[in-house]
Amino acid sequence: MAATGVVPTGRFWRWYGAAALASGVFFAVFVQGLLQAKWQVEHPVVIPGDDSPGVAANMGNLIAVPIFAVAAIGCLLFPLLWGIAAFRSWRGAVLKDLPAITTVLQWVALLLALPAAMSLPYSWVGVTALVAADLVAVGVVLRPRWSSWSRRTGADPV
């Protein structure tokens, strides 16, 4: 029995697979941030009138490179967990709380990924994709609850 009180059947594996694909956006945003920070470290801006080689102006990027690298590797966990949920659902195994836990982890990662996405060029694309990925995850987790609601009320399923 799932956390929502409804036992998901094998048909939910497609939704879990869609959430796995959507959650790949987190990895892409952090990799793009990593590449941009690394480029700015390798191409320092020399400040005229200052005798520094330009490294002092890029100190934030020096710190951002390992942080973005670790975050990108950590965000590979989301597609992995959604893939496990899809495979287990496809095999007919009962899922308990794995989709809900993955969704909560994605929302926590969104708090870290939004500032990174805002610092990238064309930031609206990254922010929109991150929010859309989290909304897909919430929709997938709440889908069994919506299905039981539609059966109780007689409304058309979403």
Side-chain angles (χ1 to χ4, degrees):
M1 198 129 141
T4 59
V6 178
V7 177
T9 60
R11 64 184 176 164
F12 286 107
W13 72 271
R14 291 185 184 102
W15 292 103
Y16 295 146
L21 288 175
S23 66
V25 171
F26 285 91
F27 175 74
V29 164
F30 281 118
V31 166
Q32 186 180 5
L34 170 69
L35 293 176
Q36 183 181 5
K38 185 178 176 204
W39 186 87
Q40 290 177 352
V41 167
E42 291 174 352
H43 301 88
V45 177
V46 179
I47 301 170
D50 189 8
D51 292 333
S52 70
V55 177
N58 289 328
M59 188 56 72
N61 291 321
L62 286 171
I63 295 170
V65 169
I67 292 173
F68 284 162
V70 170
I73 293 169
C75 284
L76 287 174
L77 178 70
F78 305 136
L80 175 71
L81 290 175
W82 281 116
I84 290 170
F87 183 74
R88 287 188 51 130
S89 178
W90 177 65
R91 298 282 297 183
V94 176
L95 293 174
K96 293 198 185 253
D97 295 330
L98 183 61
I101 290 170
T102 307
T103 302
V104 170
L105 288 174
Q106 269 187 231
W107 278 98
V108 170
L110 181 68
L111 297 175
L112 301 172
L114 278 180
M118 290 300 295
S119 67
L120 297 174
Y122 303 106
S123 62
W124 60 272
V125 174
V127 170
T128 305
L130 287 170
V131 171
D134 277 345
L135 291 177
V136 166
V138 168
V140 167
V141 169
L142 293 179
R143 186 161 172 76
R145 189 169 289 201
W146 291 336
S147 297
S148 66
W149 175 80
S150 66
R151 281 192 298 268
R152 279 195 317 258
T153 61
D156 291 334
V158 176

